Amino acid sequence: MIVKSVETGWEVVYQAAHALLAGKIATQLRQLPAVHYWPETLAALFEHDDHKTSFGKNVYLTSLGAPKDFTQFRFTAKERAREVSRRIENGYRKHRWIGLLAARHAEELYRSEKISPSLRALIDDEIERRASILHELGTTKAALESAYAVLQWCDRISLILCQGAIPAMHRRIEIAPLENQRYQMWQRPDNTVAIDPWPFSAKIFVEHVEVRTLQQLTFTSDSELQEQLRACPVEMRTWHFQKTARSNRGH
């Protein structure tokens, strides 16, 4: 979950909803010639934050009983390796390209961290067999990197929006590079969202994510939290994206 403290309590966005927003943003992009297997790339984006830990023995609560943001989760080495393995395997079951992207994402997340020998072995095995799978699919490592860059780029925008992290006072925030181009995002005085350079087909489009607001501040168990999340109000939080007149890309 993405959890934000607000005056009325807690705002919660499920990570699967964040992934859905990332995928919807990707569908607005202009055609990217370097990205092969575009439908499969979109599928990887739509599901990259699915298969999260189920509500159980207070795994979604802090020691004080508050809802836990995804950045606060701590896994044992065994749990982490099992989760990564499950994500990669689920990807391969749909399509080898999706499995490759899931493995590439795991590599990006954990390659510079101190991880368990089993997780290191899993990532190393995936890197080792990547070339042969790419050959079988008739594509290249460069194409995989291009697709993964789209995943990172859209994921970054969605996360900024879901966390309410667009800077105030119309200040700009940098997004991950895409096709060797750096991008900035900001919110105008009329609340429309600008991205420059503009990489989308349409000059204006609208996207939304579902946000749940909990007025109760602490909970005794995951089951109580889950109950309240089912019963609480759900807001369709909407953003209007609009091309700026100064943008030098797009139509």
Side-chain angles (χ1 to χ4, degrees), residues 17 21 28 80 96 99 133 175 194 198 204 228:
L21 176 60
Q28 299 288 348
R80 177 66 71 194
R96 285 171 293 172
I133 296 175
I175 312 166
W198 185 255
I204 300 173
Q228 291 300 314

Side-chain angles (χ1 to χ4, degrees), residues 159-173:
L159 190 58
I160 290 169
L161 295 174
C162 291
Q163 291 179 321
I166 295 183
M169 304 297 292
H170 325 305
R171 293 192 301 271
R172 301 186 179 209
I173 186 170

Side-chain angles (χ1 to χ4, degrees), residues 24-95:
K24 290 190 294 184
I25 290 168
T27 66
Q28 299 288 348
L29 287 168
R30 297 185 335 273
Q31 186 175 2
L32 301 172
V35 179
H36 297 185
Y37 294 101
W38 182 238
E40 290 79 9
T41 299
L42 287 177
L45 247 174
F46 279 122
E47 70 172 34
H48 81 274
D49 259 340
D50 286 356
H51 313 296
K52 289 296 182 183
T53 304
S54 301
F55 285 86
K57 297 180 180 178
N58 298 353
V59 294
Y60 281 96
L61 296 178
T62 68
S63 58
L64 297 177
K68 189 182 290 185
D69 184 75
F70 77 99
T71 59
Q72 297 172 293
F73 270 80
R74 298 293 179 267
F75 293 96
T76 66
K78 186 176 181 180
E79 288 170 338
R80 177 66 71 194
R82 187 165 56 234
E83 183 203 27
V84 172
S85 177
R86 184 176 69 247
R87 284 173 175 277
I88 293 172
E89 184 58 35
N90 283 333
Y92 279 123
R93 286 175 182 173
K94 286 190 175 182
H95 196 281

Side-chain angles (χ1 to χ4, degrees), residues 77 80-82 84-85 106 110 115-124:
R80 177 66 71 194
R82 187 165 56 234
V84 172
S85 177
Y110 303 118
I115 56 178
S116 68
S118 58
L119 181 52
R120 177 63 63 195
L122 172 64
I123 292 173
D124 288 347

